[in-house]
Amino acid sequence: MRVEIVALLVSSRHAFEGRPKDGPRPDPEPPARERVTVRAGLGLVGDRFFNHAAHRHAAVTVFAAESLDHLVDALSLPAAPDPHLTRRNITLRGFDVDGLERGTVFSLDSGDGPVRFRAHRPAHPCAWMDVVLAPGAFRGLRRRGGIRCEPLDDGVLRLGPAALEF
């Protein structure tokens, strides 16, 4: 199946700490990436969840760009919000990410070879979505927040066209 990787994000620290009304913490470096390095069982190199035992099954969050399109309609937004604002690691267009069942193994290949992931649990949206995306986004993203995954292979993913396989 052909998909598009529309956003990649690696953040060395958590931006959504404290109270949403105070706004997110700034990143020490820009989190948007053209390419990411994936390590099996560890996550994305440089990300805050990389090599944390408590996050082995949730090291990478995959998100559907269509969820942001849904917000355009649901909240009467003039355009879809920037996918980086969701703080999800990989944003895809062209696949129902939230429809993945726990335990499903899928691969993404953006030209450097396939990288497999195992889907684990939903990435539930939080109140921060109302602050960083738009008022009402927290509720609008229910059951559309993406899926937390475990990387099963080492590899590289890049922005642009990709193949998704099961």
Side-chain angles (χ1 to χ4, degrees):
M1 160 185 305
R2 298 303 297 169
V3 297
E4 182 181 3
I5 300 174
V6 298
L8 295 167
L9 183 133
V10 172
S11 177
S12 62
R13 63 191 240 188
H14 202 312
F16 298 160
E17 291 182 346
R19 296 178 300 231
K21 71 175 184 150
D22 296 334
R25 289 175 33 180
D27 284 294
E29 68 277 337
R33 299 287 191 272
E34 295 280 324
R35 67 185 284 280
V36 294
T37 301
V38 183
R39 293 287 179 247
L42 301 174
L44 303 183
V45 174
D47 193 68
R48 66 194 177 280
F49 294 126
F50 184 80
N51 198 22
H52 286 281
H55 294 283
R56 290 281 159 79
H57 292 158
V60 177
T61 304
V62 181
F63 182 73
E66 289 81 2
S67 294
L68 297 174
D69 297 340
H70 167 75
L71 289 182
V72 170
D73 295 334
L75 304 177
S76 300
L77 300 177
D82 179 348
H84 296 98
L85 295 174
T86 65
R87 308 296 285 186
R88 295 340 193 209
N89 299 111
I90 301 169
T91 302
L92 300 177
R93 181 167 294 287
F95 178 69
D96 179 18
V97 171
D98 297 294
L100 285 170
E101 293 184 20
R102 185 181 297 251
T104 301
V105 174
F106 65 96
S107 69
L108 287 170
D109 185 346
S110 60
D112 292 293
V115 180
R116 291 177 307 137
F117 295 90
R118 178 175 287 119
H120 283 282
R121 59 185 171 86
H124 299 294
C126 64
W128 280 94
M129 297 301 107
D130 284 349
V131 173
V132 298
L133 297 178
F138 171 50
R139 177 168 275 154
L141 287 176
R142 283 201 186 131
R143 290 178 292 285
R144 298 174 189 271
I147 191 93
R148 299 198 189 278
C149 299
E150 169 189 12
L152 302 176
D153 298 314
D154 290 351
V156 172
L157 293 174
R158 300 174 189 279
L159 292 177
L164 185 144
E165 294 184 11
F166 293 96

